[in-house]
Amino acid sequence: MNPSATHETSPISEGPVVVFDGVCALCSGWVRFLLRHDRRGVFRFAAMQDPVGRGLLVAHGIDPDDPVSFLLVDGPQGWHDSDGVLEVLRRLGGVWRVATALRIIPRRLRDVAYRSLARNRYRVFGRRDSCMLPPPGTRERFL
């Protein structure tokens, strides 16, 4: 290898990535919410139906063919289920940080509620025929 060659970093290692279900109406709404409120543009997004999102799920022990979990990845660290949602809200800052008070509820109980919602997301909120398209001006934030 050429010692003067520049080291390329993976786009995954360049900050937090939200892995979401691109055909789920609720999940796509969550991404639109984050795009609107993430004023610093910190979060990037990967649909679990795409190779990057699928690979992140596998790397963090989540079955990509039966994904009942939200995943936030930042470098080697990952947060899923209710911890993932609360970590995103903490990082959004401002009034959204108040939601982190929910951590006083034991994770096991929070995750039961989260997984119940996740398992029923298509029935309650609907499912799209294809993954959401990035809104205009946000394409660079999607992997």
Side-chain angles (χ1 to χ4, degrees):
M1 177 158 99
N2 180 350
S4 64
T6 59
H7 174 69
E8 289 186 40
T9 60
S10 163
I12 296 168
S13 65
E14 295 173 4
V17 177
V18 171
V19 182
F20 71 102
D21 184 347
V23 297
C24 168
L26 174 65
C27 305
S28 296
W30 170 242
V31 169
R32 285 191 301 278
F33 168 86
L34 293 175
L35 287 168
R36 190 170 49 251
H37 294 286
D38 179 17
R39 302 198 192 289
R40 295 173 291 146
V42 171
F43 295 105
R44 290 166 312 119
F45 306 93
M48 60 179 56
Q49 289 81 5
D50 292 332
V52 170
R54 187 174 180 86
L56 287 169
L57 289 174
V58 169
H60 289 273
I62 299 171
D63 181 356
D65 296 318
D66 187 23
V68 292
S69 184
F70 167 82
L71 178 63
L72 171 67
V73 176
D74 196 354
Q77 195 164 15
W79 297 262
H80 57 87
D81 296 335
S82 63
D83 279 348
V85 173
L86 293 175
E87 182 64 17
V88 167
L89 293 172
R90 184 189 73 76
R91 290 178 183 216
L92 274 180
V95 70
W96 306 112
R97 289 181 65 109
V98 172
T100 61
L102 292 172
R103 289 190 182 186
I104 65 168
I105 299 169
R107 182 186 335 169
R108 188 171 49 83
L109 294 177
R110 284 185 280 122
D111 286 349
V112 165
Y114 174 86
R115 289 201 172 217
S116 176
L117 177 64
R119 281 188 190 96
N120 294 294
R121 67 189 183 273
Y122 296 145
R123 187 168 41 84
V124 174
F125 297 98
R127 180 182 178 129
R128 300 169 184 223
D129 292 331
S130 61
C131 285
M132 74 170 278
L133 295 174
T138 64
R139 179 66 194 125
E140 71 283 353
R141 294 180 67 186
F142 287 77
L143 304 177

